[in-house]
Amino acid sequence: MILVTGATGNVGRSLVSQLRNAGVAVRALARTPESAALPDGVEAVRGDLTAPDTLEAALDGIDAVFLVWPALSAETAPPVLDVIARHARRIVYLSAHGVPDEPGREVDPIIGFHSAVERSIEGTGLEWTFLRAGGFAANTLGWAAQIRADGVVRWPYGEAARSLVHEHDIAAVAVRALTEDGHAGAKYHLTGPEVLTQAEQVRVIGEVIGRPLRWEEISRETARERMLAEGWPAAFADGALDAWAGLVARPEVVSPAVEKLTGTPARTFREWAADHADAFR
């Protein structure tokens, strides 16, 4: 029996479906299981990773856990991991590319909380695997409202280049790490198969939905104001903007891990856009 946290998110929902299709018993953790809308045969249970005392029942009989950390801080990770370690023997954590292997190296706040969670997991005695994903293709859904409104994406760093990964590919690797032996102690860098600038991503979305779209560069300062107004903590907004700026000169690399681990080539951004076309129309 595998417990999937973040089961109603992009990666978690895909993982639940793939595990179910593979005939694996799945339990999905949700704050409101009655509205989770998961596939038939999936047991949805109530639980909250910010409240460790709600997890005992959800973990009863569980062999492996897929962990998506729900907060921007790792302060409450140790008590959650203590509960998990009392029940499960294996954990697969959805982390981020850029987490340093050497402790103490200075990183931005987003990478920093992933690093802290990884360090906590390493101290549990659990059999662990870290999925250090690069840029998520699903993050471009943040442009959907602008695209639907007038076909113009107004954002900074149009030349920032990423090898965006499809959530289905992250989930496919997670299936193997959760159900197969041989992945303990692995740190997998997961990406898509190509590098595209943000402006090129917008063009591809337009080609998929049959509408000409346009990138309109805005300043870092304007983007930061918008991010803060949307509730981003200042340190996280600055970290994200610094990361995008860095990707202009140093594009994300392409990793072969998805194909190596699953036997299937990683999906392209065009394939991702086709899968999510309705969100942009």
Side-chain angles (χ1 to χ4, degrees), residues 2-279:
I2 291 172
L3 179 69
V4 176
T5 72
T8 59
N10 292 310
V11 176
R13 192 173 290 278
S14 179
L15 175 58
V16 165
S17 294
Q18 292 188 43
L19 286 169
R20 184 63 184 150
N21 291 340
V24 178
V26 185
R27 184 179 294 164
L29 188 75
R31 291 178 178 174
T32 54
E34 61 276 5
S35 61
L38 295 168
D40 291 341
V42 174
E43 180 188 1
V45 296
R46 190 178 307 278
D48 187 341
L49 289 173
T50 65
D53 58 344
T54 69
L55 303 177
E56 290 284 356
L59 283 159
D60 185 41
I62 290 296
D63 181 65
V65 173
F66 179 73
L67 180 62
V68 177
W69 193 246
L72 297 179
S73 167
E75 286 183 12
T76 59
V80 168
L81 293 168
D82 286 344
V83 180
I84 292 174
R86 286 200 295 271
H87 295 270
R89 66 181 182 89
R90 178 177 294 178
I91 187 168
V92 175
Y93 175 55
L94 181 55
S95 188
H97 179 55
V99 172
D101 289 324
E102 60 279 10
R105 199 180 88 193
E106 185 175 346
V107 292
D108 69 64
I110 296 173
I111 298 301
F113 85 77
H114 281 297
S115 179
V117 174
E118 284 194 10
R119 300 292 86 77
S120 294
I121 291 172
E122 289 175 339
T124 62
L126 287 161
E127 181 182 299
W128 54 261
T129 306
F130 299 149
L131 307 186
R132 290 179 173 174
F136 284 34
N139 287 344
T140 63
L141 290 169
W143 298 332
Q146 295 186 72
I147 289 173
R148 291 194 303 268
D150 62 5
V152 181
V153 173
R154 300 170 179 87
W155 203 239
Y157 302 115
E159 293 306 304
R162 309 206 71 170
S163 48
L164 298 180
V165 61
H166 198 306
E167 62 269 15
H168 292 345
D169 288 330
I170 299 173
V173 173
V175 168
R176 284 151 180 82
L178 287 162
T179 62
E180 300 173 351
D181 293 330
H183 301 282
K187 303 170 183 178
Y188 295 130
H189 178 202
L190 307 181
T191 75
E194 61 192 342
V195 177
L196 296 173
T197 67
Q198 293 196 105
E200 288 170 336
Q201 294 159 28
V202 170
R203 175 182 55 77
V204 169
I205 293 169
E207 290 171 356
V208 167
I209 66 174
R211 287 177 56 202
L213 304 180
R214 182 165 60 85
W215 177 274
E216 184 176 299
E217 188 79 12
I218 64 173
S219 70
R220 177 190 178 105
E221 292 72 23
T222 299
R224 186 178 189 274
E225 290 174 6
R226 184 184 298 177
M227 294 165 78
L228 296 179
E230 292 173 355
W232 284 64
F236 283 82
D238 291 336
L241 289 163
D242 288 345
W244 291 323
L247 290 168
V248 173
R250 298 178 299 280
E252 244 176 8
V253 300
V254 170
S255 164
V258 168
E259 183 170 6
K260 181 178 179 180
L261 291 163
T262 68
T264 302
R267 293 166 174 86
T268 65
F269 182 73
R270 185 176 297 273
E271 290 176 285
W272 178 90
D275 288 341
H276 297 270
D278 287 346

